[in-house]
Amino acid sequence: MLELANSFTIRRATPADATPLAHFGARTFFETFAADNTPEDMEKHLAAAWNPELQRAEIADSALDTLLALDGGGALAGFAQLRADHAPAGIPTQRAVELNRFYVDKPWQGRGLARALMAAVVNAARARGARELWLGVWERNERAQAFYRKCGFEKVGTQIFVVGTDPQTDNVMLRQL
């Protein structure tokens, strides 16, 4: 467990976190991407990706590390999820771990929480023996790309991410550990 300036705690998720994590993930995804997607595609994606049963299964999956950032009152302020043994297609890597999800609630953006959460992600990836950390980020999400570049990631390719029925292009970004 990592404490950040007495304001935040970063810890691994437990099965009891599945329901609040599902609600948080769906809300933050919707807030970030709804304006650029149809309501039908958003509804389809949210139903498939964000439900308590899925989050419970992901928390229990030994190939995944789900890290929660909690504010001083214990409410979710952000989270990250790593997926081990999953390399980006067509990009040569050695012992890559994917940063599958990384979300920080809007009120906490720009306040140091994302940096602390990224440090916890790097530590978790290293604990898995990773030599690289990679992620996919929507090509139109400039703010996220700028943050990832500040954290040492570089664009190395692209991949498709489907929201509902809409195939969208993600930039694949990679950093050495």
Side-chain angles (χ1 to χ4, degrees):
M1 191 174 340
L2 173 68
E3 185 113 3
L4 174 62
N6 297 323
S7 299
F8 300 97
T9 302
I10 297 174
R11 66 166 174 82
R12 291 191 181 276
T14 68
D17 297 313
T19 297
L21 181 58
H23 294 302
F24 181 88
R27 180 179 58 78
T28 55
F29 190 92
F30 182 86
E31 289 172 357
T32 304
F33 301 111
D36 296 302
N37 290 280
T38 67
E40 298 80 16
D41 281 334
M42 283 302 293
E43 183 178 326
K44 187 172 185 175
H45 176 79
L46 295 176
W50 299 107
N51 64 72
E53 296 78 23
L54 176 60
Q55 270 56 68
R56 195 170 290 105
E58 289 178 349
I59 290 167
D61 188 334
S62 64
L64 299 174
D65 292 313
T66 303
L67 305 174
L68 306 181
L70 307 171
D71 69 14
L76 267 169
F79 83 99
Q81 185 179 74
L82 288 87
R83 183 168 33 177
D85 301 322
H86 188 255
I91 297 169
T93 60
Q94 297 178 10
R95 298 192 52 89
V97 167
E98 178 186 14
L99 178 52
N100 188 43
R101 293 177 173 154
F102 193 92
Y103 293 93
V104 173
D105 208 357
K106 285 186 181 185
W108 307 112
Q109 292 176 4
R111 297 176 60 187
L113 175 65
R115 284 268 187 193
L117 187 56
M118 184 60 76
V121 162
V122 167
N123 289 339
R126 285 182 175 144
R128 285 192 173 267
R131 297 175 90 182
E132 298 113 347
L133 185 61
W134 74 277
L135 57 87
V137 57
W138 191 29
E139 67 182 348
R140 292 172 47 190
N141 191 341
E142 293 296 329
R143 180 182 175 110
Q145 289 177 61
F147 171 73
Y148 295 134
R149 282 191 299 273
K150 286 180 190 175
C151 293
F153 288 86
E154 296 179 3
K155 181 181 174 186
V156 294
T158 61
Q159 67 182 11
I160 298 299
F161 181 83
V162 179
V163 176
T165 61
D166 183 19
Q168 300 177 2
T169 302
D170 276 2
N171 289 332
V172 174
M173 299 181 81
L174 179 81
R175 71 165 275 185
Q176 301 298 313
L177 296 179

